[in-house]
Amino acid sequence: MKTSTPERIREYTNRGFWGHDTLHGLLANCARSRAEQLAVADQPNKADLCGIPPRRLNFRELQHFSGRLASELLDQGIAPGDRLLVQLPNISELVALYYACSRIGAIISPIPVQYGRHELQQFAATLKPAAVITLADFRGDDLAARAVAALGDTPVWTLGETICTGDPDATFDEARLAAHQDAHPADANDIVTICWTSGTTGTPKGVPRSHNMWIAIARNTMEAGDYREGETLLAPFPLINMAAIGGFLFPSVLTGSSLVLHHPMDPPLYLKQLQDEGVTFTIAPPALLNQLAHQPALWEMGDFSALRAFGSGSVPLSPAMIETVEGDYGKAIINFYGSNEGISLFSTPVTAPGAEYRAALFPRLGVPGMPWQGQAHASTVTRVIDPDTGREITEPGQAGELCISGPAVFDGYLGHDGEGVFTDDGLFRTGDLVEIAGEPPNYYRIVGRCKDIINRGGMKISPSDLDTVLEGHPDLAEAAVCAYPDPMLGEKICACVVPAAGAKAPTLESLAAWLLERGVAKFKLPERIEVLDALPRNPVGKVVRGDLQQLITED
């Protein structure tokens, strides 16, 4: 399956941004040159999570294991172009499945373990999978039974029962697999994954991506994080989307690095793995980094001398956190902004030395006259447009929709007619509102989603800006704002808060006073407060503002 046109393939190949490497080909290179080096390591509590003992595989063993899984898929009748819906946590079997599917030309479509029957039916209706691969037990939840109940006639294969049984070193018919690969040679422009949008603004949509698209986004990530040969990478986010696939899976074989797995997020275990595995680079949720910055004793409990940098993102970061982690702990912070569709922006100590800038601003990649260097800037085009008229916005401080193109960007959603997805000249319309910012104005500031903006009597308010300020309240563990209807103004603002352990939730009056003290404009002040046990989040940790708004509207 290919989605890129011959013209697009020719352009990016001629410019050197696309090539001929495939995911399984990169693994084979590592198996030849780094056979005995650790390739993937399971989290030590894997058996408690899913009843399968943890594994530590070197590149030679991972190459063999992926070949064995590929052979099993062929035995089950999987053919090139078939789609497999895979619902697994971060375990070595999932890593091996990516390589196995790549080897036989099948397409892997990973989904979060949190998703239930409704979401499975949504995905399957669009994907039309040949089979589902999952677990009978993940933390006491029978994922296989759920899939059987949801999908009826679609085969459901259980890890350890239907496929991937026994010893990963067991022999298989290598000659048969080699013959299959000779008969069906892989192309770097073949689709290798179909991931899914997070669904914060509607039904999740399938995002087909080729080997070349993933390698392009991986190279951007590696450039931002200054990845080095033979590193040790700790991947705590699920291997289902851009952050983990583009940030860890592909880079691990592009740089010959060891991939250490973690999932779901368990801060004490995460910190222990950082120390015990000698991790050199990882990504961490902003909340965990904030906790480490606020509690030096927690940091001092471990030996993190091998670590050189943290990646983070998904929400604006705290400048104070960056100053503490970099100034006191000596670890660089890289702010990533990306998506399954191929958005690939980043703010680093080089491009944004000041903490205030790096916390919330991203270089305007691909815009003429910018001071940036490197492949990401050379290969990317970004533009801001008025979401209603399509007019390009070049003035600072005016919100518009971010549009982007480049070798990391996808070709279109699975089963979608493409209407409204791209500009007339081919830039992806991200749906994210940004404004040109900085002195000089060489940066973008993310101000929200096109559908997130709160319209209070004609005044447009970005909820993410208020979220960032509220995160600094000492009595709150979590906070987010959303709109609620008002007959006079159209919409007003509700602050949804989760008190910190042992703290009492602020009153609306005290919260407003606290916001005013921090320079928040009066028209942005919440006019309602709701105290919750937790904020609704999607499987990658983003607040689902639509669910929040529905909750408080029903109340």
Side-chain angles (χ1 to χ4, degrees):
M1 175 184 176
K2 288 186 178 69
T3 59
S4 298
T5 64
E7 293 76 19
R8 187 175 193 226
I9 293 171
R10 184 164 51 250
E11 176 192 355
Y12 286 129
T13 302
N14 289 342
R15 294 174 65 188
F17 300 133
W18 283 358
H20 304 287
D21 287 327
T22 60
L23 179 60
H24 67 277
L26 293 169
L27 175 61
N29 292 341
C30 290
R32 285 189 293 269
S33 62
R34 301 171 178 266
E36 302 307 314
Q37 180 187 316
L38 177 67
V40 62
D42 280 314
Q43 56 271 64
N45 65 335
K46 177 184 175 184
D48 296 331
L49 295 175
C50 60
I52 301 173
R55 293 182 170 124
R56 299 178 70 85
L57 303 174
N58 61 34
F59 279 111
R60 174 184 53 78
E61 292 166 336
L62 180 57
Q63 170 75 350
H64 180 89
F65 188 22
S66 70
R68 184 189 152 203
L69 282 177
S71 182
E72 288 189 55
L73 293 176
L74 291 177
D75 289 343
Q76 295 287 350
I78 296 301
D82 281 352
R83 304 164 185 182
L84 295 171
L85 190 62
V86 176
Q87 189 175 32
L88 294 173
N90 281 8
I91 53 178
S92 55
E93 289 81 1
L94 175 58
V95 173
L97 270 172
Y98 273 101
Y99 295 114
C101 288
S102 177
R103 289 179 78 161
I104 65 173
I107 299 170
I108 183 171
S109 183
I111 62 172
V113 292
Q114 297 96 321
Y115 280 169
R117 184 174 64 183
H118 174 70
E119 290 83 8
L120 285 166
Q121 290 170 339
Q122 285 183 317
F123 296 137
T126 303
L127 186 69
K128 298 177 175 54
V132 179
I133 300 176
T134 188
L135 287 166
D137 179 21
F138 177 67
R139 305 175 83 186
D141 194 359
D142 191 337
L143 303 183
R146 177 192 300 166
V148 169
L151 302 182
D153 295 335
T154 302
V156 176
W157 300 338
T158 304
L159 211 65
E161 297 179 11
T162 312
I163 64 166
C164 194
T165 58
D167 185 353
D169 290 330
T171 59
F172 64 92
D173 191 342
E174 297 188 48
R176 178 195 176 206
L177 177 58
H180 172 88
Q181 291 184 239
D182 289 341
H184 305 279
D187 189 308
N189 297 300
D190 288 340
I191 296 302
V192 64
T193 66
I194 296 176
C195 297
W196 300 85
T197 60
S198 56
T200 55
T201 58
T203 302
K205 297 184 286 291
V207 180
R209 292 184 64 84
S210 68
H211 301 268
N212 269 328
M213 293 174 195
W214 277 123
I215 290 172
I217 208 166
R219 293 196 185 282
N220 288 351
T221 305
M222 290 157 52
E223 179 181 300
D226 190 25
Y227 286 43
R228 296 146 194 200
E229 291 288 327
E231 293 220 271
T232 300
L233 310 173
L234 175 58
F237 289 177
L239 282 162
I240 60 169
N241 58 24
M242 182 279 303
I245 301 173
F248 291 94
L249 181 67
F250 273 81
S252 70
V253 282
L254 283 165
T255 62
S257 295
S258 303
L259 181 60
V260 179
L261 302 176
H262 179 98
H263 181 230
M265 175 53 74
D266 179 338
L269 179 58
Y270 174 81
L271 294 175
K272 188 174 188 304
Q273 286 180 283
L274 276 183
Q275 172 183 271
D276 294 352
E277 298 284 0
V279 171
T280 54
F281 181 81
T282 186
I283 193 167
L288 177 57
L289 291 176
N290 291 338
Q291 184 180 7
L292 290 174
H294 291 153
Q295 300 180 40
L298 190 61
W299 179 262
E300 293 163 2
M301 288 173 59
D303 176 8
F304 309 115
S305 55
L307 185 70
R308 57 176 184 76
F310 283 107
S312 195
S314 79
V315 297
L317 305 181
S318 162
M321 177 274 290
I322 295 175
E323 290 173 349
T324 298
V325 173
E326 291 191 342
D328 296 347
Y329 306 159
K331 309 302 179 184
I333 298 290
I334 295 97
N335 191 0
F336 289 102
Y337 168 59
S339 75
N340 283 327
E341 291 93 338
I343 304 172
S344 183
L345 302 182
F346 47 83
S347 195
T348 74
V350 174
T351 61
E356 291 284 345
Y357 271 38
R358 191 146 16 107
L361 302 183
F362 297 91
R364 296 172 66 195
L365 294 181
V367 175
M370 298 294 108
W372 329 117
Q373 301 295 322
Q375 175 173 296
H377 181 56
S379 65
T380 305
V381 175
T382 60
R383 186 185 306 153
V384 183
I385 66 170
D386 184 301
D388 297 322
T389 66
R391 177 185 67 85
E392 183 175 1
I393 296 171
T394 57
E395 308 85 10
Q398 183 177 343
E401 184 178 11
L402 176 67
C403 301
I404 186 169
S405 69
V409 178
F410 77 145
D411 294 311
Y413 294 111
L414 183 68
H416 191 280
D417 61 11
E419 183 178 357
V421 176
F422 297 93
T423 63
D424 291 341
D425 57 347
L427 277 71
F428 169 55
R429 300 187 60 163
T430 68
D432 291 322
L433 286 175
V434 305
E435 61 183 19
I436 298 169
E439 292 292 341
N442 293 341
Y443 298 87
Y444 294 127
R445 184 195 312 276
I446 314 300
V447 298
R449 292 283 298 173
C450 290
K451 296 181 180 179
D452 269 353
I453 292 298
I454 299 171
N455 188 346
R456 186 185 183 276
M459 299 296 292
K460 305 295 178 64
I461 300 165
S462 166
S464 62
D465 282 352
L466 283 174
D467 291 354
T468 303
V469 179
L470 287 171
E471 284 174 0
H473 196 291
D475 294 331
L476 298 180
E478 295 182 281
V481 303
C482 64
Y484 68 96
D486 179 78
M488 294 295 293
L489 296 175
E491 291 180 330
K492 287 185 177 180
I493 301 170
C494 177
C496 301
V497 303
V498 179
K504 184 178 180 181
T507 64
L508 182 61
E509 292 74 19
S510 66
L511 186 65
W514 188 85
L515 289 169
L516 286 172
E517 289 174 1
R518 277 142 190 85
V520 174
K522 286 186 177 180
F523 75 87
K524 294 184 177 180
L525 295 179
E527 293 162 281
R528 175 179 169 186
I529 189 169
E530 290 287 340
V531 180
L532 306 175
D533 294 329
L535 299 182
R537 296 182 182 272
N538 67 19
V540 294
K542 294 182 181 180
V543 173
V544 184
R545 214 175 298 272
D547 289 356
L548 196 62
Q549 188 166 346
Q550 182 178 357
L551 176 66
I552 68 110
T553 301
E554 289 173 352
D555 288 345

